[in-house]
Amino acid sequence: MKYSGNKYRVLFITVFAITIAMHPVSAAGPGADGEFDPGSFIFDHIADAYDWHLFDINGKHYSVPLPVIVYTREKGLNIFMSDKFDHGHKAYRGFRIEHEGPNKGKIVVALDDHTTQPDKSRPLDLSMTKNVTGMLFAAAIMMAIFLTVGNRYRQNPMKPPKGIQSLFEPLMLFVIDDIVKPAIGEKKYIRFLPYTLTLFFFIWINNMLGLIPFFPMGANVTGNISVTAGLALTSFLAINLSGNKHYWQHIFNTPNVPVFLKLPIPIMPVIELVGIFTKPFVLAIRLFANITAGHIITMGFFCLIFIFAQVSRSFGYGGTVLAVGFGVFITFLEMLVALIQAYVFTLLTSLFIGAAVEDAH
Amino acid sequence: MDLITPEFGLFFWMLVTFAIVFLILKKFAWKPIVQALHEREENIREGIENAEEARNELTKVKNRSDKIISDAIVERDQLIRQGRELREQMTAEAREMAEEEAKRIVKEAENLIEEEKAAALNQIKIQIASLSIEIAEKILRKKLDDDAVQQELMTSILDEFKLN
């Protein structure tokens, strides 16, 4: 039993190591001009994209096309697959992917294949980008997991957990008993469990999938400011829509504060009002920065392989061993960070909600 | 700077995805899960409480049975003691009665002996009297010749009789 367990562990680690070793190969490959540019390589990986790049063979890009949904008043609603752009080389239906300037990598209104409309205005862009697809995949996994688990709980509430249920029960109990209950308080926490559980597992699963370098995983979803901003907005709504009289009184007429701080210049109310917005803002920045930093460091180590390889062949082999070693280490660290960041986001949101629903004392 | 500029499309899809996931899981996952976990928790808490109660009940019952046993032991000892006392009392009474009986028998025997003795003495007296008369006759036959001797003899015999 023990032997076979070790065998599987060795197998797992081997596959894991190979996977990580393949990461840069599948994501980047040598540049078209032969010169390797780690900066743009890393930021291309981290940034969102209209197609899902798989690998390059002999300078030819292979990628999964994704739906582009753009709307302008003149051209109306346009829905097509992103391979029509031919990796940004062509314009299609008057749209093209910008190559430089502030809108680099975004869809803009085109005059022809190589020129953008001079006012640089962008269409309303609701494309299903790489991050959207990755996020939808994470959402699908999340639903598959928790609908299965929920079903088991509904059918056998008193049976001991089994299979995938026993994997997630400790995590759910961790969120319920160690995050939400102490933060919000015994009396009111039940109402906020659906939101906080969704939040925790949405962040955690997206974080974890972001570490797996295969299609349809590996999108830098939670390391994107738009996604974390969206999460922060839900957190903002959850906090302020549940805020009671005591909470708002605390903001606009803070008790135990001298009157001259409120009248005639409302210093305290302004500070408190700003605080409403800074709290979720900080949540968004923290998650974004942590996950992005993790991806940058991981990618940075893998870039070392190509940088070393450009110096000399043997240097490249040696560098590969080093880089893979560091890459494995950082990936394990990132798995920890994935959990910690989900924990921190959920904990702080719960604490803010707890402060918003706290009774006057 | 593309990195820190929020993109409306992704923001929009993020909110839509999150809302859908939230609503579906809220109805079909979190509610039953939280409820089941709560139920289970309650169940376990109740089980522990019941076990505690049962244990207390058991202790009470055990105490009561211990008390019953100790009472029984006390009662038994008392009964044994009483029995012993009774026995001793009965033995004492019996002995007393026996002693009295024995005394009575001895007394009766003594009386009988006394009577026998008196009768025997009478017999002896009679015997002695007749012997005396015989002796006297013989003496008389021998010494009746002399009056003085007769007189003296008579007196001495009479004295002897008085002594008796």
Side-chain angles (χ1 to χ4, degrees):
Chain A
M1 223 34 219
K2 193 154 193 272
Y3 173 70
S4 77
N6 279 339
K7 201 166 67 176
Y8 283 123
R9 201 170 305 150
V10 169
L11 186 70
F12 171 74
I13 290 172
T14 312
V15 170
F16 193 71
I18 291 170
T19 307
I20 290 173
M22 281 169 67
H23 199 293
V25 180
S26 66
D33 50 356
E35 195 65 36
F36 179 66
D37 177 8
S40 68
F41 165 62
I42 291 174
F43 279 91
D44 280 351
H45 165 80
I46 286 165
D48 207 354
Y50 289 101
D51 53 5
W52 199 309
H53 185 251
L54 297 178
F55 43 79
D56 293 343
I57 295 176
N58 294 330
K60 190 168 160 42
H61 299 289
Y62 290 90
S63 56
V64 179
L66 298 170
V68 171
I69 305 167
V70 281
Y71 175 85
T72 55
R73 196 166 294 169
E74 295 83 31
K75 296 187 171 99
L77 186 67
N78 281 282
I79 301 173
F80 52 90
M81 298 305 281
S82 62
D83 56 347
K84 301 288 195 305
F85 288 128
D86 191 22
H87 305 287
H89 298 310
K90 281 184 190 155
Y92 184 75
R93 293 197 197 167
F95 297 103
R96 68 184 287 267
I97 295 175
E98 182 65 280
H99 290 296
E100 60 251 333
N103 288 334
K104 183 169 181 273
K106 301 280 160 64
I107 290 179
V108 288
V109 181
L111 290 177
D112 59 51
D113 280 356
H114 303 290
T115 7
T116 305
Q117 195 171 288
D119 67 350
K120 307 236 181 206
S121 68
R122 292 196 51 211
L124 177 65
D125 184 357
L126 294 179
S127 303
M128 309 287 267
T129 56
K130 181 181 170 184
N131 278 346
V132 174
T133 318
M135 187 170 59
L136 287 176
F137 180 72
I141 284 189
M142 200 176 155
M143 296 234 246
I145 290 171
F146 288 105
L147 290 180
T148 317
V149 172
N151 217 26
R152 265 198 64 84
Y153 276 108
R154 197 170 13 206
Q155 280 161 3
N156 312 309
M158 290 305 158
K159 289 246 180 79
K162 211 176 87 182
I164 199 167
Q165 186 189 12
S166 52
L167 175 65
F168 282 92
E169 181 169 311
L171 279 168
M172 292 188 294
L173 285 175
F174 170 66
V175 175
I176 295 170
D177 291 337
D178 293 336
I179 301 180
V180 183
K181 200 193 241 179
I184 299 183
E186 291 271 340
K187 274 179 272 174
K188 296 174 176 169
Y189 79 101
I190 298 262
R191 187 154 69 95
F192 298 99
L193 282 180
Y195 169 66
T196 44
L197 282 165
T198 314
L199 189 66
F200 179 85
F201 286 107
F202 190 87
I203 296 172
W204 184 56
I205 290 175
N206 270 307
N207 285 350
M208 290 301 276
L209 292 187
L211 297 174
I212 304 172
F214 290 120
F215 176 82
M217 295 159 285
N220 184 26
V221 178
T222 38
N224 188 296
I225 193 77
S226 315
V227 174
T228 60
L231 287 168
L233 178 66
T234 66
S235 169
F236 174 83
L237 292 176
I239 295 163
N240 291 292
L241 292 182
S242 57
N244 57 13
K245 207 178 103 194
H246 177 241
Y247 171 72
W248 292 112
Q249 191 213 337
H250 196 93
I251 287 166
F252 291 112
N253 185 13
T254 316
N256 306 324
V257 167
V259 179
F260 66 82
L261 286 177
K262 301 171 191 168
L263 284 171
I265 312 162
I267 298 172
M268 277 306 287
V270 166
I271 290 173
E272 290 283 346
L273 212 56
V274 169
I276 293 177
F277 296 99
T278 52
K279 283 169 188 168
F281 180 75
V282 169
L283 287 179
I285 297 295
R286 180 186 295 110
L287 181 59
F288 155 74
N290 272 285
I291 303 304
T292 301
H295 280 247
I296 290 176
I297 292 170
T298 318
M299 297 309 287
F301 277 122
F302 293 129
C303 286
L304 283 180
I305 296 172
F306 297 94
I307 293 166
F308 285 151
Q310 278 180 332
V311 178
S312 83
R313 179 177 283 264
S314 53
F315 208 36
Y317 285 128
T320 306
V321 174
L322 195 73
V324 170
F326 276 118
V328 169
F329 170 69
I330 291 294
T331 305
F332 275 116
L333 194 68
E334 282 309 301
M335 283 160 73
L336 194 64
V337 169
L339 187 66
I340 290 170
Q341 288 309 316
Y343 166 73
V344 167
F345 201 109
T346 315
L347 176 71
L348 289 176
T349 301
S350 302
L351 282 172
F352 296 148
I353 291 174
V357 299
E358 193 182 19
D359 289 319
H361 42 74
Chain B
M1 284 300 100
D2 159 63
L3 201 60
I4 54 164
T5 317
E7 179 70 21
F8 177 74
L10 184 54
F11 183 73
F12 169 80
W13 286 115
M14 187 273 142
L15 289 178
V16 170
T17 314
F18 190 85
I20 292 170
V21 170
F22 170 65
L23 290 175
I24 290 178
L25 289 188
K26 183 184 179 181
K27 189 165 192 307
F28 296 106
W30 306 131
K31 284 251 163 92
I33 288 171
V34 168
Q35 200 182 342
L37 288 176
H38 187 72
E39 262 175 47
R40 192 188 295 169
E41 207 171 287
E42 283 292 302
N43 208 24
I44 290 168
R45 200 177 53 75
E46 246 169 57
I48 290 170
E49 271 173 17
N50 286 348
E52 189 69 24
E53 216 170 284
R55 195 160 40 221
N56 288 344
E57 199 65 31
L58 193 70
T59 318
K60 261 189 237 163
V61 168
K62 200 160 175 287
N63 287 345
R64 211 181 304 152
S65 77
D66 281 353
K67 200 177 167 319
I68 289 170
I69 288 171
S70 66
D71 282 358
I73 288 170
V74 168
E75 204 170 335
R76 189 196 63 187
D77 287 352
Q78 205 174 343
L79 281 177
I80 289 170
R81 208 174 51 238
Q82 276 177 358
R84 197 183 295 143
E85 276 170 11
L86 198 65
R87 196 189 64 200
E88 275 167 12
Q89 199 184 332
M90 277 168 75
T91 325
E93 272 173 21
R95 192 182 295 138
E96 221 168 277
M97 272 165 72
E99 270 172 17
E100 265 171 34
E101 187 69 15
K103 266 184 202 164
R104 197 179 53 81
I105 291 169
V106 167
K107 203 162 187 185
E108 267 176 24
E110 275 175 358
N111 288 347
L112 203 62
I113 290 167
E114 209 60 43
E115 277 169 25
E116 291 287 319
K117 199 172 127 188
L121 276 176
N122 277 345
Q123 204 94 42
I124 291 168
K125 272 181 191 169
I126 293 164
Q127 202 79 38
I128 290 171
S130 63
L131 275 178
S132 306
I133 291 164
E134 237 174 274
I135 293 166
E137 251 175 28
K138 280 174 186 169
I139 295 170
L140 281 173
R141 266 178 211 146
K142 208 172 168 187
K143 290 191 176 177
L144 267 173
D145 315 335
D146 188 1
D147 276 351
V149 175
Q150 272 183 10
Q151 197 69 38
E152 202 183 338
L153 186 69
M154 285 304 280
T155 322
S156 72
I157 290 166
L158 281 172
D159 280 351
E160 273 170 24
F161 279 133
K162 268 176 199 167
L163 277 171
N164 227 337

